[in-house]
Amino acid sequence: MEDSATKARRALSFGARAAQYAEHRPGYPAEAVRWALEPVRDREQVRVLDLAAGTGRLSEALLEEPVAVIAVEPDDAMREQLLNRLAGLAALKGTAEDIPLPDERVDAVLVGQAFHWFTPELALPEIARVLKPGGVLAALWNHDDDRVPWVAGLADITGTKVRYTEHQHDRSELFPENDVFTAFGQRSFEHSHRRTAATLTETIATHSVTLLKDEAERAETLAEVRAYLDATPETAEGEFELPLVTTAIRVRKL
C-alpha cells in the first residue's frame, strides 16, 4: 500500500501533462456509460455530474446520451483542456469533497478514472448531498487487459497501476458501509484504444506512476517502452488495438 503523501502527489500529477492527457488517454465505451445511467434513464430530464472530469473523456461519452452534463474538475490545466475540446459544456472548479452545486441538483454522478483519489468519508456525503433521491453514483476505470501476453509484458516494464488482473476483484471496498447508498452493482466491458508505438508511449507518459519519476528515470522508462513496442510483432508496425477492460461500479442514493 502506498502512503498518503505519495497518493496525493499522484492525484495532482496530471495537470503537468494536461494537453498530452487530452490527446492520448482512451475514452469510455457507450455500453458502460449506459449501464451506469440505467436506473435513472426513465426520468424526464436527466442531469449528470462528471466529477473529477479531467480533460473530459467521460463527458465526451455522456454528451452522446440524452442527458444534460455538468463537469467539475479541480485542476485548472485539465479543466482548460476540457473546455477547449468540449465547447459549451458547463465546467466548474471544485473537488469531490467540496462540490460547487446546490442540494439535490443532479440525477447521477459519474466518475472516470478518479474515484480512488477521493477521501470517501468526505466525498460520499458530499456526492449524496448533490444527488436527487434515487440518484446514481457510478465510477468507471479503464484497465489495460494484461491477460493478453504482450500487454502483460508492457505492464511489467511500466509498473502501471491500471492492470486489469490487479483490479478485477470486487471494488465494493471503495464504498464503506453507510445508510445512504444501496444496490451495489459491478460490470466489466471490453473495448480497445487504437494506438501506434509512438502514441502508446505518449499514453504511458501520462500515467501517474510515470509522471512522478525524475526526468532521467522517466526518459529511461519511456525509452524501454518504445524499444519493447518496436520489437513486439503485435505493435511494431503501424496502428494496433490496445486491449482494455472498463470496470464500472454503481450504487443508488436511498
Side-chain angles (χ1 to χ4, degrees):
M1 295 289 289
E2 65 186 351
D3 61 60
S4 58
T6 300
K7 181 178 178 180
R9 287 178 61 217
R10 288 180 60 211
L12 296 172
S13 65
F14 303 107
R17 290 187 67 93
Q20 292 85 351
Y21 194 107
E23 182 176 358
H24 294 292
R25 281 296 185 106
Y28 296 88
E31 295 84 356
V33 172
R34 289 169 188 158
W35 179 81
L37 296 175
E38 189 176 58
V40 296
R41 292 189 73 87
D42 292 338
R43 296 189 179 189
E44 186 172 338
Q45 186 179 26
V46 179
R47 290 190 179 94
V48 181
L49 168 60
D50 181 0
L51 184 57
T55 63
R57 285 299 186 192
L58 183 54
S59 288
E60 203 169 32
L62 285 166
L63 290 171
E64 297 296 319
E65 302 299 315
V67 300
V69 182
I70 305 168
V72 167
E73 165 57 36
D75 187 278
D76 293 339
M78 299 287 273
R79 196 171 61 257
E80 181 180 359
Q81 289 294 322
L82 183 153
L83 291 169
N84 288 342
R85 295 178 58 249
L86 303 174
L89 181 67
L92 308 175
K93 184 179 179 69
T95 67
E97 296 78 15
D98 186 13
I99 301 171
L101 292 178
D103 294 356
E104 298 186 2
R105 176 62 174 171
V106 297
D107 300 281
V109 175
L110 268 62
V111 184
Q113 218 74 16
F115 194 90
H116 52 289
W117 303 126
F118 298 170
T119 304
E121 60 268 26
L122 300 177
L124 287 172
E126 184 69 348
I127 291 168
R129 180 186 66 79
V130 302
L131 272 174
K132 296 177 183 179
V136 169
L137 165 61
L140 297 86
W141 290 267
N142 282 321
H143 299 128
D144 295 345
D145 191 352
D146 60 337
R147 296 171 300 180
V148 178
W150 76 260
V151 179
L154 179 62
D156 289 341
I157 295 171
T158 64
T160 181
K161 303 294 184 180
V162 293
R163 300 180 70 144
Y164 174 65
T165 56
E166 293 183 5
H167 295 286
Q168 60 181 320
H169 58 285
D170 188 341
R171 301 205 72 154
S172 60
E173 79 279 0
L174 293 170
F175 289 85
E177 288 292 328
N178 65 79
D179 57 1
V180 177
F181 293 104
T182 187
F184 180 91
Q186 178 169 319
R187 287 274 304 275
S188 294
F189 303 84
E190 294 185 2
H191 66 123
S192 64
H193 190 200
R194 196 153 185 82
R195 300 277 80 192
T196 65
T199 59
L200 182 49
T201 302
E202 288 290 339
T203 300
I204 291 165
T206 70
H207 291 174
S208 60
V209 69
T210 309
L211 290 168
L212 289 191
K213 295 179 178 181
D214 62 43
E215 187 174 348
E217 188 180 6
R218 183 165 56 249
E220 181 180 356
T221 296
L222 294 176
E224 289 179 10
V225 165
R226 183 57 189 270
Y228 174 83
L229 294 173
D230 286 342
T232 300
E234 293 91 340
T235 60
E237 296 184 12
E239 293 187 325
F240 55 86
E241 298 293 335
L242 171 66
L244 300 172
V245 181
T246 297
T247 300
I249 59 175
R250 182 182 74 190
V251 291
R252 297 192 72 178
K253 178 183 173 182
L254 292 171

